[in-house]
Amino acid sequence: MMLFFQLIKRLSILFLFIISSSVLSQEYKIEFTTPINETLFILPVPNLKISLNSTVNLISDGREIECDIVALNVWNSNNAQKFVRLLSIKINKKNITKQNSTFTLAWVESKKTLPVEHKTFTDSPHLIYPNKAWLKESILLHPETQELDTTWYTQPQSLYANFVTNEALLTEKGYPSTKYSQWLFDRPRAIYQLFILTDNKKWFTEGRKLVEFYLGNLDAEGKFTLKNTFDLKYLMPNGLLYYYLLSGDSRIPSILKTLFERSLIWSPSYDTDYEFWTERHQAAALNIAIAYWEISGSDVAKARIDEIIQATVNMVFYPRDEWGLKGCAQHTYKSHEGKAGNSPVCSPWMTALLADGLWRYYQLTHDKKSAALLNAFGDFMMDNGIYFADKRLKNKVLPFYLSSMNNKLLEIKNQWTDGQHACDVAALIGKSLYIKRIANEDTFLLKGLFDVFVQQCKDINIKYRSKKKDFLPMLPPRRFGWTYSTTSDLPWLELWLNNTKYNE
């Protein structure tokens, strides 16, 4: 594989992107590797960069190049003006006259409208982008374009990824690819995020393999077939969405529609007679609706998103009178665990899953209800989401597996395993802190809790420094998903929250 990429690197085409529009005026240079005479490219584009009302030209050696430029997808958000999210560039082969060619892609706003077509490609387009920051913003990993050092996060992740993408190693540890439980928490998404953060093409390739495996085990009705019964948790849309934005694969929009329609079986509105409800299922339904709306702009999907968020608002801010406000989506122990007990409970790590979807929707729309929920989740973590280990673990602070509001006998905790959720809980707290800082709220104590869990996240992975192999096992393998799928913005949140202007 490395020899293949080295060969391709010798056959590179240099693209010079000049952005000239009233939205942004800046110059980008990107170099990407591709076989000589390749003519089909796709460019993911951050929001607010290229208006759909634009004239776009490709120039080389001072002359306009004949090509076909099409918007494959647009940003769906609350903006009245539409912006390109995925751009296809098809160059006439006769214009590739030498091994290394320089092209300039220039655009200005105009009265013309770029064509929007959901093309089906016979050959896979080659992905191009100026830099990692551009790609992060195109996929919406965090709010701002910014290069930052993520090595404390990505170096250990890469070693764990070498394990969870190696079928022989997984099988050796008792997890053949047919063992369905390991596929929870969207492994393709976590791998694609590793590619975006590191720019290592290996993870782009491995992400595609995982997507193809997932699609190969998804039936026409949206059921993950490795599990005998339908389970909403196995409808994992974000890895598919990322794959589409990095490849333009025309299969994905219809597949996401199928997943969305299947997910409608979940009722997001909760009452105390509900036989089964968890934050994890609410999160799965929300993520599917958001991903399908992002790719399609469907009004039905948008209404579903708002329905799920409103139902969650009702749970958090209008609980039963005797329960009181706790800052989380309170539901009974019985509805969560299937056992007797009507005391209210909340799960910190499942709340982190729910927060991730709210965070994405907030980035897309600045939705006030999503912001309010994220804000409240931080209060829950501070007041009811944590406990202290005993002296064998130096009394360190840990997140509950399941927190009970008024019956301590119903708490579920294990000081030896609850620390495995340090990274995802840290990301939950960081997202809440972001909202609180924007609202100019006092964050001193919550910021201290964030720092504690970030350090625990770093400590979990500290053994990578003394590695003897090029991989580290992570068991059970689904742990890789919950550790990394909702936490790619954690290094950015740490940097943003430690910015001196917010600590004066």
Side-chain angles (χ1 to χ4, degrees), residues 255-266:
I255 291 170
L256 284 178
K257 181 180 180 181
T258 299
L259 297 188
F260 171 71
E261 291 173 346
R262 190 66 188 265
S263 74
L264 296 177
I265 193 174
W266 175 257

Side-chain angles (χ1 to χ4, degrees), residues 86 107 109 149 174 202 270 442 463:
L86 191 60
W107 60 88
E109 286 196 67
D149 182 8
K202 171 182 178 177
Y270 176 82
D442 177 48
K463 60 184 179 181

Side-chain angles (χ1 to χ4, degrees), residues 12-13 36-37 60-61 93-103:
S12 63
I13 299 175
I36 194 169
N37 294 330
S60 180
D61 295 327
K93 208 165 193 176
K94 67 183 182 182
N95 291 303
I96 308 293
T97 58
K98 54 186 178 181
Q99 180 169 322
N100 295 295
S101 300
T102 300
F103 294 91

